[in-house]
């Protein structure tokens, strides 16, 4: 919707039966300038393709369709770590489409806010500085302000890891542990995010930017967030709609596996992985985190 202000946009989906009023975006009617198709070959006629797939679905999608995407400018919006490969979307994309230019679009942004035209600032990460400038120009609008970086690892890890911490923040609120506990989770969660991301080559300043701290703040404090709401339900021992995409659940398991492999200390992410798998109670998770050996901040 935002990008249709800049020129022709084609929207591809497997199921286009809902027409211009998608129940996932209530109150938003897609403008007539957006062409809607269920034929991927039609959509991939464009030079720039935004891939708005959940992180755990991207690998399967690429296995089926990579030849149609290779050589294009591919911009992923997925915020997660692929559980079977323990990598972010940019690695999946570059392995499946070696001739493509790969970029990641991430940062604090609820789809509903962007679709309503509310002002939003995002990080556009692309290792190729020239391609990054061109994409930044093409994908920015007066209400969608893109900052560019060449630190793809930092940008995509910030987006993936904040979802895990947002589940923990939701658990704290849902379980009635209070706002002080949530602030502790945000701050110590940010320390974990920075520790793992910099170990994997991210620049620390990327983590303090929109894609890291910015999105962490939004997701841990807004009831619009599915990750936060899922955590809240977990904390309150209430059911949660299993069809809702909650990226942080699978990503917590991926992070726990990655941290073990790399010998990194990620206690909050490890607790979220155990909680989401039903291997630990909220009370035990809180007790475990609070009674770890005392240390310097
Ligand atoms: N919704 C939001 O506010 C934001 C979402 N994101 C990220 O964007 C990614 C996608 O999120 P949403 O659009 O919210 O998820 P969603 O679950 O609401 O929508 C994903 C769509 O992808 C389709 N899909 C799944 N597997 C597919 C496949 N193999 N082939 C074709 N289509 C497939 C689903 O049918 C669904 O229509 C996630 O990683 C999310 O973290 C990022 C920023 C904001
Ligand atoms: O990434 C998002 C906001 O930046 C969307 O968060 P949720 O997936 O938790 O709804």
């Amino acid at each position: 919707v935002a990008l249709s202000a800049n020129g022709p946009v084609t929207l591809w989906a497997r199921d286009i039966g809902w027409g211009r009023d998608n129940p996932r975006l209530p109150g938003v009617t897609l403008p007539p300038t957006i062409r809607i198709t269920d034929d991927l070959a039609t959509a991939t006629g464009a030079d720039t393709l935004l891939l708005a797939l959940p992180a755990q679905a991207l690998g399967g999608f690429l296995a089926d369709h990579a030849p149609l995407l290779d050589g294009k400018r591919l911009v992923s919006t997925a915020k997660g770590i692929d559980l079977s490969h323990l990598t972010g979307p940019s690695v999946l994309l570059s392995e499946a489409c070696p001739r493509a230019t790969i970029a990641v679009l991430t940062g604090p942004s609820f789809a509903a806010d962007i679709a309503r035209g509310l002002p939003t600032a995002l990080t556009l990460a692309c290792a190729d500085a020239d391609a990054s400038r061109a994409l930044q120009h093409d994908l920015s609008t007066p209400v969608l302000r893109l900052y560019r970086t060449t630190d793809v690892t930092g940008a995509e890890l910030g987006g993936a890891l904040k979802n895990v911490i947002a589940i923990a923040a939701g658990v704290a609120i849902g379980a009635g542990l209070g706002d002080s506990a949530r602030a502790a989770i945000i701050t110590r969660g940010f320390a974990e995010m920075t520790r793992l991301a910099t170990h994997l080559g991210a620049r620390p300043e990327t983590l303090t930017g929109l894609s890291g701290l910015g999105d962490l703040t939004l997701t841990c404090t807004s009831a619009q967030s599915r990750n936060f709401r899922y955590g809240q339900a977990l904390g309150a021992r209430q059911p949660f709609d299993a069809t809702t995409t909650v990226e942080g659940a699978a990503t917590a398991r991926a992070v726990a596996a990655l941290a073990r492999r790399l010998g990194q200390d990620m206690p909050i992410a490890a607790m979220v992985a155990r909680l989401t798998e039903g291997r630990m109670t909220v009370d035990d998770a809180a007790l475990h985190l609070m009674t770890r050996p005392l240390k310097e901040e």
Side-chain angles (χ1 to χ4, degrees), residues 107-115 120 162 215 218-219 222-226:
S109 53
F110 289 122
D113 291 351
I114 296 181
T120 308
K162 65 86 187 175
D215 212 354
L218 177 75
T219 318
S222 171
Q224 273 197 77
S225 160
R226 295 162 296 188

Side-chain angles (χ1 to χ4, degrees), residues 23-47:
R24 285 176 191 250
L25 272 184
V28 174
T29 298
L30 299 184
T33 48
I34 297 181
R35 177 181 182 189
I36 303 175
T37 180
D38 58 5
D39 175 27
L40 190 57
T42 300
T44 53
D47 294 335

Side-chain angles (χ1 to χ4, degrees), residues 8-283:
V9 169
T10 301
L11 174 66
W12 172 83
R14 295 175 299 189
D15 172 13
I16 58 170
W18 41 266
R20 295 189 175 270
D21 296 289
N22 188 335
R24 285 176 191 250
L25 272 184
V28 174
T29 298
L30 299 184
T33 48
I34 297 181
R35 177 181 182 189
I36 303 175
T37 180
D38 58 5
D39 175 27
L40 190 57
T42 300
T44 53
D47 294 335
T48 307
L49 308 177
L50 267 77
L51 297 159
L53 289 153
Q56 305 308 324
L58 186 59
F61 177 81
L62 291 172
D64 291 342
H65 302 298
L68 280 174
L69 313 179
D70 206 359
K72 305 283 180 177
R73 300 196 299 183
L74 304 179
V75 184
S76 172
T77 72
K79 294 178 179 173
I81 297 177
D82 178 90
L83 200 43
S84 34
H85 298 89
L86 302 187
T87 59
S90 68
V91 173
L92 295 183
L93 285 168
S94 56
E95 284 179 358
C97 304
R99 292 185 300 110
T101 299
I102 310 296
V104 165
L105 185 59
T106 184
S109 53
F110 289 122
D113 291 351
I114 296 181
R116 285 167 60 209
L118 301 181
T120 308
L122 293 174
T123 300
L124 177 82
C126 179
D128 176 336
D130 291 336
S132 177
R133 270 175 211 280
L135 274 170
Q136 180 187 34
H137 175 265
D138 292 352
L139 303 181
S140 292
T141 81
V143 289
L144 194 63
R145 180 173 171 80
L146 270 50
Y147 290 80
R148 66 174 185 277
T149 177
T150 52
D151 183 7
V152 177
T153 303
E156 74 178 0
L157 279 173
L161 296 169
K162 65 86 187 175
N163 281 332
V164 178
I165 306 304
I167 293 178
V171 169
I173 296 303
L177 304 182
D179 287 336
S180 303
R182 168 165 52 184
I185 286 168
I186 293 173
T187 315
R188 294 310 305 165
F190 182 65
E192 277 187 37
M193 289 169 58
T194 307
R195 192 180 307 135
L196 183 66
T198 52
H199 185 86
L200 289 169
R203 296 200 287 265
E205 62 269 28
T206 309
L207 272 296
T208 56
L210 291 162
S211 56
L213 186 57
D215 212 354
L216 178 69
T217 308
L218 177 75
T219 318
C220 289
T221 59
S222 171
Q224 273 197 77
S225 160
R226 295 162 296 188
N227 286 281
F228 179 78
R229 286 202 313 270
Y230 168 76
Q232 238 180 337
L234 208 57
R237 296 180 179 80
Q238 286 169 356
F240 191 80
D241 173 16
T243 64
T244 300
T245 299
V246 179
E247 289 285 34
T251 293
R253 287 154 59 201
V255 170
L258 206 50
R260 270 195 307 277
R261 181 193 285 179
L262 300 172
Q264 291 294 300
D265 192 24
M266 302 284 289
I268 300 175
M271 286 308 109
V272 173
R274 286 185 204 167
L275 281 172
T276 56
E277 289 176 300
R279 291 193 285 121
M280 192 173 236
T281 65
V282 172
D283 290 347

